[in-house]
Amino acid sequence: MKTIQIGSDEHRDLFCKSFVETHRPYRPEDIRLLDLDSERLARLKSLPVWNEAVRTESETAMKVQTLGKVETDPVLAEAISLQGYEEGRHAAVISLLTRQYGISVAPFPEPRPPADPVGAFISTGYGECMDSFFAFGLFAIGKRSQFFPADLIDIFEPIMQEEARHILFLVNWAAYLRARTSLFGKPFFDIRRTWKIGAQVAEHALHAARIGKGGETQEEGFTMTSHQSFGDLSARSFLELCLSENERRLSPYDSRLLRPQLVPSFVRLVLKVMPRPSRPQPLSNQASGSPDA
Ligand SMILES: [Fe+2]
Ligand SMILES: [Fe+2]
């Protein structure tokens, strides 16, 4: 397959077309949630993720939809607006689930459009790159352990795959934007992006530190706190699983598109220096079935 020049119209058309063509048209209101027995319901309610999940998806939807409205390139605008719609749909699905199962969600202020839509998209997008990488592994564990009922897994599977499409879009969009920036503007673009990524890393590290101290609350650390709900697992096995799931979820898309590198590269480095367990732990070899996209 021939390579593609990053920043070209062909590159833009490929990452936008790939995104739009892999969109799955379903409506939250068509989802039928089954009744759960009291044990499964209690287990679902005990997950400390609901407040953060509803709030984050609503805020992300507002940020992405705002960029979709102000983007002047119609090809980019179509794909970004569709992503904004998908984020809104994530919020709607989670709200539906919490209402149906009587899971209380703390009220939060209505999200407001960001003053800097491009900056907000960069920030949110790289934050999603971090969250999604670990969420892919957590979801695989939840699926395998049957922690969640099968019909809930079926509801969240497309959401997971949509997040994979979102981070794929983000890294290609950012590379496209950078390539189209003048030589003089490139250092400013890099500084801005590095600053936004750094802020996301700091935010995630703070969450991790709070978890380490046992001070985590329901309002914080969506993916990280949910990790605690799935029992014992070595850090190495978990990271290896995240890597393999990340690769699997991104594998269906055109190989000419850039892949998120930051978190996977860092995790590979961590795995190199992490001591190996005395007994082999084949968890990452048990990756679940193929994605739906
Ligand atoms: Fe989302
Ligand atoms: Fe997303």
Side-chain angles (χ1 to χ4, degrees), residues 182-214:
S182 68
L183 209 58
F184 175 75
K186 275 189 173 65
F188 294 99
F189 181 93
D190 291 342
I191 290 168
R192 185 191 197 197
R193 181 167 59 172
T194 305
W195 179 260
K196 301 265 178 211
I197 294 173
Q200 286 295 327
V201 170
E203 203 179 305
H204 284 71
L206 275 175
H207 282 163
R210 283 195 204 104
I211 294 166
K213 286 180 187 165

Side-chain angles (χ1 to χ4, degrees), residues 113-174:
D116 170 16
V118 170
F121 191 64
I122 293 174
S123 247
T124 302
Y126 283 101
E128 276 200 341
C129 286
M130 295 170 207
D131 282 335
S132 298
F133 180 83
F134 297 107
F136 295 157
L138 289 169
F139 188 74
I141 296 167
K143 197 170 175 179
R144 182 178 307 161
S145 65
Q146 298 179 346
F147 184 87
F148 297 116
D151 68 312
L152 282 187
I153 292 288
D154 291 345
I155 290 167
F156 280 99
E157 172 56 40
I159 292 182
M160 283 290 133
Q161 197 55 36
E162 278 163 8
E163 295 300 0
R165 288 168 52 256
H166 294 177
I167 61 176
L168 184 71
F169 182 88
L170 181 272
V171 293
N172 281 277
W173 169 84

Side-chain angles (χ1 to χ4, degrees), residues 21-73:
E21 285 181 349
T22 53
H23 170 73
R24 288 181 52 160
Y26 66 90
R27 301 188 315 165
E29 54 270 36
D30 294 335
I31 293 174
R32 292 284 161 266
L33 292 167
L34 299 180
D35 288 341
L36 297 179
D37 59 45
S38 56
E39 190 194 331
R40 290 204 144 154
L41 188 58
R43 205 188 285 170
L44 196 67
K45 284 184 174 179
S46 74
L47 281 177
V49 301
W50 302 112
N51 286 341
E52 180 69 10
V54 179
R55 195 178 63 203
T56 302
E57 294 292 354
S58 304
E59 287 172 354
T60 304
M62 174 56 78
K63 288 173 189 168
V64 182
Q65 285 164 10
T66 303
L67 181 59
K69 282 179 193 155
V70 299
E71 173 58 61
T72 52
D73 181 325

